[in-house]
Amino acid sequence: MESGASKRWRLGRGKLEIGFYQRIPVKVRDADPRSPAVAARLVDLIESALPDLRAEHVGSSAVPNLAGKGTIDLLLPTPPERIAEVVETLLAAGFQRQAIPQSFPPTRPMLQGIVSHGAQTYRVHLHIVPDTSSEVHELRGFRDALRRDPSLRNAYEELKRDIVARGLTEAVDFTEAKHDFIVGALHRLGLRRRTGAQDGPFGARLADDGRAGAPAD
């Protein structure tokens, strides 16, 4: 007999099946105009399982005309006391925990999976972030700044292409190589104060392939 969570998941529009996630070397791909539609289907499905929470599209795939890894990054702000419950609901829906040593902590987990949209498959990173964390503001703010500022967008894309050209195609190495650029941008944008504290992945190193402390693609 199926669980209530898995049943609710299939009631969502589009009936996306969450496939098994496998890590691959980083490759910078041109912007995919279908990514927002994929994200919207995922948001709808998450809401069908967790109707009182709302996921949103972040990361490079949420920015028109910005090349990136092609990953669909989703932010799910969640009351801290509900994170364990939310994780279990989404695991029952087909998402998977990270299976790497540098995974995000249980207090700020990232789940993953793969979905199909037409003939294309998309890797998905679902960031379950405490709604009290400044990382929520940083993830939204960096995305919005990339959307409105062509010079920031072009510089970020150029950096990512250069990192891959230098052979840094392991996810952790790729994330580390972007760190200074992103943190510098957060400071310039006023999204992070210059203190010693680093709050969450958009703090130490943002959301790439699951390295705790990194920004989204």
Side-chain angles (χ1 to χ4, degrees):
M1 183 174 180
E2 66 184 355
S3 70
S6 61
K7 181 178 179 180
R8 286 196 302 274
W9 187 258
R10 287 210 298 273
L11 290 175
R13 185 176 65 243
K15 298 182 180 179
L16 283 180
E17 179 180 349
I18 308 299
F20 184 71
Y21 187 95
Q22 293 181 322
R23 299 179 69 196
I24 59 174
V26 172
K27 178 181 178 181
V28 177
R29 298 171 170 81
D30 291 339
D32 184 344
R34 297 165 295 184
S35 293
V38 179
R41 294 179 69 193
L42 284 159
V43 167
D44 184 68
L45 289 171
I46 293 168
E47 188 173 11
S48 74
L50 297 161
D52 57 333
L53 299 179
R54 182 69 178 174
E56 59 187 277
H57 193 190
V58 294
S60 292
S61 64
V63 179
N65 304 314
L66 176 59
K69 300 199 314 316
T71 302
I72 306 297
D73 280 290
L74 297 174
L75 165 66
L76 185 63
T78 303
E81 69 275 10
R82 291 191 57 199
I83 285 179
E85 163 214 332
V86 166
V87 167
E88 291 305 316
T89 296
L90 294 173
L91 290 175
F95 281 100
Q96 304 110 48
R97 299 183 192 273
Q98 290 177 277
I100 60 172
Q102 302 93 345
S103 60
F104 286 94
T107 53
R108 189 279 186 216
M110 188 191 89
L111 304 183
Q112 56 194 23
I114 290 180
V115 297
S116 295
H117 182 77
Q120 182 69 32
T121 58
Y122 293 83
R123 302 158 72 75
V124 181
H125 291 170
L126 175 53
H127 302 272
I128 303 171
V129 180
D131 59 8
T132 55
S133 171
S134 62
E135 187 190 356
V136 173
H137 177 62
E138 291 181 357
L139 285 164
R140 289 171 175 160
F142 190 61
R143 173 201 61 196
D144 294 345
L146 288 167
R147 285 174 171 173
R148 66 176 177 262
D149 185 346
S151 62
L152 177 63
R153 188 166 61 245
N154 292 340
Y156 190 37
E157 178 174 326
E158 182 178 347
L159 171 67
K160 290 189 284 186
R161 292 191 185 279
D162 178 69
I163 292 168
V164 170
R166 288 188 278 127
L168 300 176
T169 58
E170 287 293 325
V172 171
D173 295 336
F174 183 77
T175 295
E176 291 281 354
K178 295 191 305 175
H179 171 256
D180 289 348
F181 178 94
I182 293 169
V183 171
L186 292 176
H187 287 311
R188 290 193 303 275
L189 292 164
L191 296 169
R192 177 176 301 168
R193 290 190 295 271
R194 294 183 182 277
T195 66
Q198 292 186 328
D199 185 7
F202 219 51
R205 308 267 184 294
L206 234 52
D208 249 57
D209 199 25
R211 170 99 177 189
D217 178 30

